[in-house]
Amino acid sequence: MTPVPPERHLLRAKDLADARYHEPLDVEALARAAFVSPAHFSRQFRRAFGETPHQYLLTRRLERAAELLRNTDRSVTEVCLTVGLRSVGSFTTSFKQLYGVTPTAYRAAHPPTQRARVPTCVRQAYARPLSSFEKTRVEPRANVVTVIAIE
Amino acid sequence: MLKQLTHVQVWVNDQDEALAFYTDKLGMELREDVTLPELGNFRWLSVGIPGQDVSITLMAIPGPPVFDDETREHIRQLLARGASGGLFFAADDARAAFQELKQRGVEFTQEPTEQPYGVDAGFRDPAGNHFRLVQQTAEVPSL
């Protein structure tokens, strides 16, 4: 049997963040999904995917929040809680750092997207704001990493 | 001109493991399994959905002379990181298919979820390839 590269296990942590971002997930839970000790997990994840699990989970949540801001009329607080973040203040701060505007301003500037037949998994993958590596779509400012303590 | 798509290729980490997964778990049929000694025991292995002619070729990642060791390792790494592309499957009832496949031990990345185009779920094969399971709505949303 050909051995599986260890990254295959780390991929399970990434999948978990994509699937359960709306739950009170933390980095420890992601580490468990990857069968990696928490002590080594963040470093290994970063080596495999280019950013820390904390950054990945946060940007996934912000991407989902942006989608809800565009396509629903839920309040900013509701959006924040819906994507698994607990502090509206931290949410607003980190959203502004990644998207350059507050959630309210973002909503005003972005009318609902048209319903093209693009699968949602594709949408999610391409719309996630970048935190640690090269920026292409949004202009993240420095020090994004420490903004939110994920529950 | 081009007439038909016959095979799509999927890299796999281990062909025996992949064959068991695609047939026993996903319910596909074995189409071709040929090992060629003159090609360094290259194994042409393909499966398909009963009733559909397109085959999926489960391809082991070759070393020299096809790829040097470094390239082979890169592909292995990409596969394990989920960066190998994917396939889209349709189902009449995505929720029922999800239940059945989950019971058989398929690793789902997303449970069936309502989307504008239908009910959409995601899963992976043992190697890390990403697949979607979609029950499309009859009505196509306008672009």
Side-chain angles (χ1 to χ4, degrees):
Chain A
M1 181 94 174
T2 315
V4 178
E7 287 77 6
R8 179 67 182 90
H9 300 296
L10 296 169
L11 181 58
R12 294 202 170 86
K14 191 160 169 273
D15 285 342
L16 183 67
D18 288 337
R20 305 264 174 233
Y21 60 87
H22 45 87
E23 294 176 10
L25 269 189
D26 55 16
V27 173
E28 283 71 33
L30 297 178
R32 277 197 299 278
F35 306 107
V36 176
S37 81
H40 300 115
F41 173 60
S42 288
R43 196 160 33 83
Q44 290 186 9
F45 188 99
R46 182 172 191 158
R47 204 160 48 206
F49 301 115
E51 59 195 321
T52 65
H54 173 269
Q55 289 170 319
Y56 187 80
L57 180 57
L58 175 59
T59 50
R60 165 58 62 232
R61 285 170 163 161
L62 294 176
E63 175 273 324
R64 290 286 84 199
E67 161 96 8
L68 292 173
L69 290 167
R70 280 197 309 269
N71 295 319
T72 72
D73 53 8
R74 293 185 212 177
S75 70
V76 169
T77 303
E78 271 181 288
V79 167
C80 165
L81 298 175
T82 303
V83 300
L85 295 170
R86 296 218 185 147
S87 158
V88 179
S90 302
F91 166 59
T92 302
T93 306
S94 48
F95 191 94
K96 197 171 173 201
Q97 280 184 317
L98 280 163
Y99 286 87
V101 288
T102 63
T104 309
Y106 179 85
R107 167 172 274 162
H110 295 79
T113 45
Q114 289 183 321
R115 289 190 162 187
R117 213 178 171 93
V118 177
T120 301
C121 60
V122 173
R123 235 178 242 291
Q124 275 189 225
Y126 284 79
R128 194 173 62 86
L130 298 170
S131 57
S132 59
F133 36 32
E134 329 142 50
K135 28 188 175 167
T136 53
R137 272 174 303 285
V138 292
E139 293 289 321
R141 295 183 199 162
N143 301 327
V144 175
V145 185
T146 50
V147 178
I148 283 186
I150 293 171
E151 301 297 323
Chain B
M1 275 307 289
L2 306 185
K3 181 187 170 196
Q4 191 184 14
L5 176 66
T6 59
H7 292 75
V8 293
Q9 181 202 301
V10 169
W11 292 124
V12 298
N13 190 52
D14 182 288
Q15 285 182 310
D16 288 327
E17 175 189 53
L19 178 60
F21 177 83
Y22 283 77
T23 55
D24 298 344
K25 289 199 163 66
L26 298 187
M28 294 188 195
E29 60 191 13
L30 174 63
R31 297 264 171 90
E32 296 150 296
D33 188 355
V34 184
T35 300
L36 303 168
E38 69 273 25
L39 298 182
N41 283 332
F42 167 77
R43 184 181 180 192
W44 175 254
L45 177 65
S46 72
V47 296
I49 296 174
Q52 189 187 27
D53 54 5
V54 178
S55 293
I56 299 172
T57 304
L58 305 174
M59 197 76 91
I61 306 164
V66 182
F67 295 134
D68 59 31
D69 289 329
E70 192 190 342
T71 304
R72 180 172 189 272
E73 187 53 30
H74 280 315
I75 298 174
R76 264 168 52 78
Q77 287 286 329
L78 289 175
L79 195 55
R81 293 172 199 210
S84 60
L87 300 174
F88 296 77
F89 295 104
D92 289 332
D93 184 340
R95 290 191 177 84
F98 163 76
Q99 288 300 341
E100 176 68 30
L101 293 172
K102 197 171 168 65
Q103 222 162 42
R104 296 183 193 176
V106 174
E107 178 182 342
F108 273 83
T109 56
Q110 189 186 19
E111 296 185 358
T113 309
E114 291 282 352
Q115 304 292 355
Y117 46 84
V119 182
D120 187 0
F123 61 99
R124 289 193 192 278
D125 75 358
N129 289 300
H130 181 217
F131 303 124
R132 305 304 300 185
L133 169 64
V134 180
Q135 175 187 342
Q136 294 200 335
T137 45
E139 199 176 315
V140 180
S142 59
L143 289 173

